[in-house]
mmCIF file with all atom_site columns, all heavy atoms in Angstrom:
data_model
loop_
_atom_site.group_PDB
_atom_site.id
_atom_site.type_symbol
_atom_site.label_atom_id
_atom_site.label_alt_id
_atom_site.label_comp_id
_atom_site.label_asym_id
_atom_site.label_entity_id
_atom_site.label_seq_id
_atom_site.pdbx_PDB_ins_code
_atom_site.Cartn_x
_atom_site.Cartn_y
_atom_site.Cartn_z
_atom_site.occupancy
_atom_site.B_iso_or_equiv
_atom_site.pdbx_formal_charge
_atom_site.auth_seq_id
_atom_site.auth_comp_id
_atom_site.auth_asym_id
_atom_site.auth_atom_id
_atom_site.pdbx_PDB_model_num
ATOM 1  N N   . LYS C 1 504 ? 7.720  1.496  -19.942 1.00 75.00 ? 509 LYS C N   1
ATOM 2  C CA  . LYS C 1 504 ? 8.698  1.269  -21.013 1.00 75.00 ? 509 LYS C CA  1
ATOM 3  C C   . LYS C 1 504 ? 9.400  2.549  -21.448 1.00 75.00 ? 509 LYS C C   1
ATOM 4  O O   . LYS C 1 504 ? 10.235 2.542  -22.344 1.00 75.00 ? 509 LYS C O   1
ATOM 5  C CB  . LYS C 1 504 ? 8.005  0.644  -22.222 1.00 75.00 ? 509 LYS C CB  1
ATOM 6  C CG  . LYS C 1 504 ? 7.478  -0.771 -21.954 1.00 75.00 ? 509 LYS C CG  1
ATOM 7  C CD  . LYS C 1 504 ? 6.697  -1.308 -23.144 1.00 75.00 ? 509 LYS C CD  1
ATOM 8  C CE  . LYS C 1 504 ? 6.185  -2.713 -22.865 1.00 75.00 ? 509 LYS C CE  1
ATOM 9  N NZ  . LYS C 1 504 ? 5.338  -3.233 -23.942 1.00 75.00 ? 509 LYS C NZ  1
ATOM 10 N N   . LYS C 1 505 ? 9.060  3.651  -20.773 1.00 66.00 ? 510 LYS C N   1
ATOM 11 C CA  . LYS C 1 505 ? 9.615  4.950  -21.196 1.00 66.00 ? 510 LYS C CA  1
ATOM 12 C C   . LYS C 1 505 ? 11.119 4.957  -21.113 1.00 66.00 ? 510 LYS C C   1
ATOM 13 O O   . LYS C 1 505 ? 11.786 5.456  -22.040 1.00 66.00 ? 510 LYS C O   1
ATOM 14 C CB  . LYS C 1 505 ? 9.017  6.058  -20.269 1.00 66.00 ? 510 LYS C CB  1
ATOM 15 C CG  . LYS C 1 505 ? 9.530  7.440  -20.611 1.00 66.00 ? 510 LYS C CG  1
ATOM 16 C CD  . LYS C 1 505 ? 8.754  8.510  -19.861 1.00 66.00 ? 510 LYS C CD  1
ATOM 17 C CE  . LYS C 1 505 ? 8.929  8.351  -18.349 1.00 66.00 ? 510 LYS C CE  1
ATOM 18 N NZ  . LYS C 1 505 ? 8.265  9.436  -17.604 1.00 66.00 ? 510 LYS C NZ  1
ATOM 19 N N   . GLU C 1 506 ? 11.672 4.420  -20.039 1.00 59.00 ? 511 GLU C N   1
ATOM 20 C CA  . GLU C 1 506 ? 13.137 4.484  -19.862 1.00 59.00 ? 511 GLU C CA  1
ATOM 21 C C   . GLU C 1 506 ? 13.809 3.640  -20.944 1.00 59.00 ? 511 GLU C C   1
ATOM 22 O O   . GLU C 1 506 ? 14.843 4.050  -21.504 1.00 59.00 ? 511 GLU C O   1
ATOM 23 C CB  . GLU C 1 506 ? 13.521 3.967  -18.461 1.00 59.00 ? 511 GLU C CB  1
ATOM 24 C CG  . GLU C 1 506 ? 15.014 4.095  -18.196 1.00 59.00 ? 511 GLU C CG  1
ATOM 25 C CD  . GLU C 1 506 ? 15.366 3.654  -16.793 1.00 59.00 ? 511 GLU C CD  1
ATOM 26 O OE1 . GLU C 1 506 ? 14.451 3.364  -15.989 1.00 59.00 ? 511 GLU C OE1 1
ATOM 27 O OE2 . GLU C 1 506 ? 16.560 3.610  -16.470 1.00 59.00 ? 511 GLU C OE2 1
ATOM 28 N N   . GLU C 1 507 ? 13.217 2.487  -21.286 1.00 61.00 ? 512 GLU C N   1
ATOM 29 C CA  . GLU C 1 507 ? 13.809 1.660  -22.316 1.00 61.00 ? 512 GLU C CA  1
ATOM 30 C C   . GLU C 1 507 ? 13.821 2.387  -23.676 1.00 61.00 ? 512 GLU C C   1
ATOM 31 O O   . GLU C 1 507 ? 14.802 2.349  -24.407 1.00 61.00 ? 512 GLU C O   1
ATOM 32 C CB  . GLU C 1 507 ? 13.032 0.347  -22.459 1.00 61.00 ? 512 GLU C CB  1
ATOM 33 C CG  . GLU C 1 507 ? 13.030 -0.476 -21.178 1.00 61.00 ? 512 GLU C CG  1
ATOM 34 C CD  . GLU C 1 507 ? 12.078 -1.676 -21.300 1.00 61.00 ? 512 GLU C CD  1
ATOM 35 O OE1 . GLU C 1 507 ? 11.687 -1.988 -22.429 1.00 61.00 ? 512 GLU C OE1 1
ATOM 36 O OE2 . GLU C 1 507 ? 11.774 -2.258 -20.238 1.00 61.00 ? 512 GLU C OE2 1
ATOM 37 N N   . GLN C 1 508 ? 12.706 3.067  -23.978 1.00 62.00 ? 513 GLN C N   1
ATOM 38 C CA  . GLN C 1 508 ? 12.628 3.794  -25.228 1.00 62.00 ? 513 GLN C CA  1
ATOM 39 C C   . GLN C 1 508 ? 13.562 4.977  -25.255 1.00 62.00 ? 513 GLN C C   1
ATOM 40 O O   . GLN C 1 508 ? 14.096 5.358  -26.275 1.00 62.00 ? 513 GLN C O   1
ATOM 41 C CB  . GLN C 1 508 ? 11.178 4.222  -25.512 1.00 62.00 ? 513 GLN C CB  1
ATOM 42 C CG  . GLN C 1 508 ? 10.243 3.044  -25.692 1.00 62.00 ? 513 GLN C CG  1
ATOM 43 C CD  . GLN C 1 508 ? 8.924  3.442  -26.343 1.00 62.00 ? 513 GLN C CD  1
ATOM 44 O OE1 . GLN C 1 508 ? 8.823  4.491  -26.973 1.00 62.00 ? 513 GLN C OE1 1
ATOM 45 N NE2 . GLN C 1 508 ? 7.911  2.619  -26.188 1.00 62.00 ? 513 GLN C NE2 1
ATOM 46 N N   . LEU C 1 509 ? 13.752 5.624  -24.105 1.00 59.00 ? 514 LEU C N   1
ATOM 47 C CA  . LEU C 1 509 ? 14.691 6.758  -24.048 1.00 59.00 ? 514 LEU C CA  1
ATOM 48 C C   . LEU C 1 509 ? 16.117 6.299  -24.332 1.00 59.00 ? 514 LEU C C   1
ATOM 49 O O   . LEU C 1 509 ? 16.889 6.998  -24.978 1.00 59.00 ? 514 LEU C O   1
ATOM 50 C CB  . LEU C 1 509 ? 14.610 7.410  -22.652 1.00 59.00 ? 514 LEU C CB  1
ATOM 51 C CG  . LEU C 1 509 ? 13.419 8.312  -22.398 1.00 59.00 ? 514 LEU C CG  1
ATOM 52 C CD1 . LEU C 1 509 ? 13.370 8.730  -20.931 1.00 59.00 ? 514 LEU C CD1 1
ATOM 53 C CD2 . LEU C 1 509 ? 13.471 9.558  -23.255 1.00 59.00 ? 514 LEU C CD2 1
ATOM 54 N N   . LEU C 1 510 ? 16.466 5.101  -23.832 1.00 51.00 ? 515 LEU C N   1
ATOM 55 C CA  . LEU C 1 510 ? 17.805 4.572  -24.083 1.00 51.00 ? 515 LEU C CA  1
ATOM 56 C C   . LEU C 1 510 ? 18.020 4.265  -25.535 1.00 51.00 ? 515 LEU C C   1
ATOM 57 O O   . LEU C 1 510 ? 19.145 4.399  -26.052 1.00 51.00 ? 515 LEU C O   1
ATOM 58 C CB  . LEU C 1 510 ? 17.997 3.294  -23.229 1.00 51.00 ? 515 LEU C CB  1
ATOM 59 C CG  . LEU C 1 510 ? 18.080 3.529  -21.707 1.00 51.00 ? 515 LEU C CG  1
ATOM 60 C CD1 . LEU C 1 510 ? 18.159 2.184  -20.995 1.00 51.00 ? 515 LEU C CD1 1
ATOM 61 C CD2 . LEU C 1 510 ? 19.289 4.367  -21.358 1.00 51.00 ? 515 LEU C CD2 1
ATOM 62 N N   . THR C 1 511 ? 16.994 3.825  -26.260 1.00 54.00 ? 516 THR C N   1
ATOM 63 C CA  . THR C 1 511 ? 17.145 3.510  -27.678 1.00 54.00 ? 516 THR C CA  1
ATOM 64 C C   . THR C 1 511 ? 17.104 4.763  -28.548 1.00 54.00 ? 516 THR C C   1
ATOM 65 O O   . THR C 1 511 ? 17.522 4.717  -29.691 1.00 54.00 ? 516 THR C O   1
ATOM 66 C CB  . THR C 1 511 ? 16.017 2.553  -28.143 1.00 54.00 ? 516 THR C CB  1
ATOM 67 O OG1 . THR C 1 511 ? 14.743 3.182  -27.906 1.00 54.00 ? 516 THR C OG1 1
ATOM 68 C CG2 . THR C 1 511 ? 16.088 1.242  -27.348 1.00 54.00 ? 516 THR C CG2 1
ATOM 69 N N   . GLY C 1 512 ? 16.591 5.872  -27.979 1.00 57.00 ? 517 GLY C N   1
ATOM 70 C CA  . GLY C 1 512 ? 16.606 7.130  -28.711 1.00 57.00 ? 517 GLY C CA  1
ATOM 71 C C   . GLY C 1 512 ? 15.389 7.325  -29.578 1.00 57.00 ? 517 GLY C C   1
ATOM 72 O O   . GLY C 1 512 ? 14.969 6.438  -30.343 1.00 57.00 ? 517 GLY C O   1
ATOM 73 N N   . GLY C 1 513 ? 14.744 8.480  -29.470 1.00 56.00 ? 518 GLY C N   1
ATOM 74 C CA  . GLY C 1 513 ? 13.651 8.824  -30.341 1.00 56.00 ? 518 GLY C CA  1
ATOM 75 C C   . GLY C 1 513 ? 12.335 8.171  -30.022 1.00 56.00 ? 518 GLY C C   1
ATOM 76 O O   . GLY C 1 513 ? 11.357 8.287  -30.754 1.00 56.00 ? 518 GLY C O   1
ATOM 77 N N   . GLY C 1 514 ? 12.282 7.453  -28.887 1.00 63.00 ? 519 GLY C N   1
ATOM 78 C CA  . GLY C 1 514 ? 11.032 6.742  -28.576 1.00 63.00 ? 519 GLY C CA  1
ATOM 79 C C   . GLY C 1 514 ? 10.048 7.476  -27.742 1.00 63.00 ? 519 GLY C C   1
ATOM 80 O O   . GLY C 1 514 ? 8.886  7.064  -27.648 1.00 63.00 ? 519 GLY C O   1
ATOM 81 N N   . ILE C 1 515 ? 10.472 8.571  -27.103 1.00 75.00 ? 520 ILE C N   1
ATOM 82 C CA  . ILE C 1 515 ? 9.620  9.217  -26.145 1.00 75.00 ? 520 ILE C CA  1
ATOM 83 C C   . ILE C 1 515 ? 8.397  9.849  -26.793 1.00 75.00 ? 520 ILE C C   1
ATOM 84 O O   . ILE C 1 515 ? 7.303  9.823  -26.235 1.00 75.00 ? 520 ILE C O   1
ATOM 85 C CB  . ILE C 1 515 ? 10.421 10.270 -25.320 1.00 75.00 ? 520 ILE C CB  1
ATOM 86 C CG1 . ILE C 1 515 ? 9.568  10.844 -24.179 1.00 75.00 ? 520 ILE C CG1 1
ATOM 87 C CG2 . ILE C 1 515 ? 10.953 11.364 -26.211 1.00 75.00 ? 520 ILE C CG2 1
ATOM 88 C CD1 . ILE C 1 515 ? 9.216  9.864  -23.141 1.00 75.00 ? 520 ILE C CD1 1
#
Side-chain angles (χ1 to χ4, degrees):
K509 294 176 181 176
K510 180 171 62 177
E511 185 176 354
E512 299 173 15
Q513 295 196 20
L514 282 172
L515 291 174
T516 60
I520 186 66

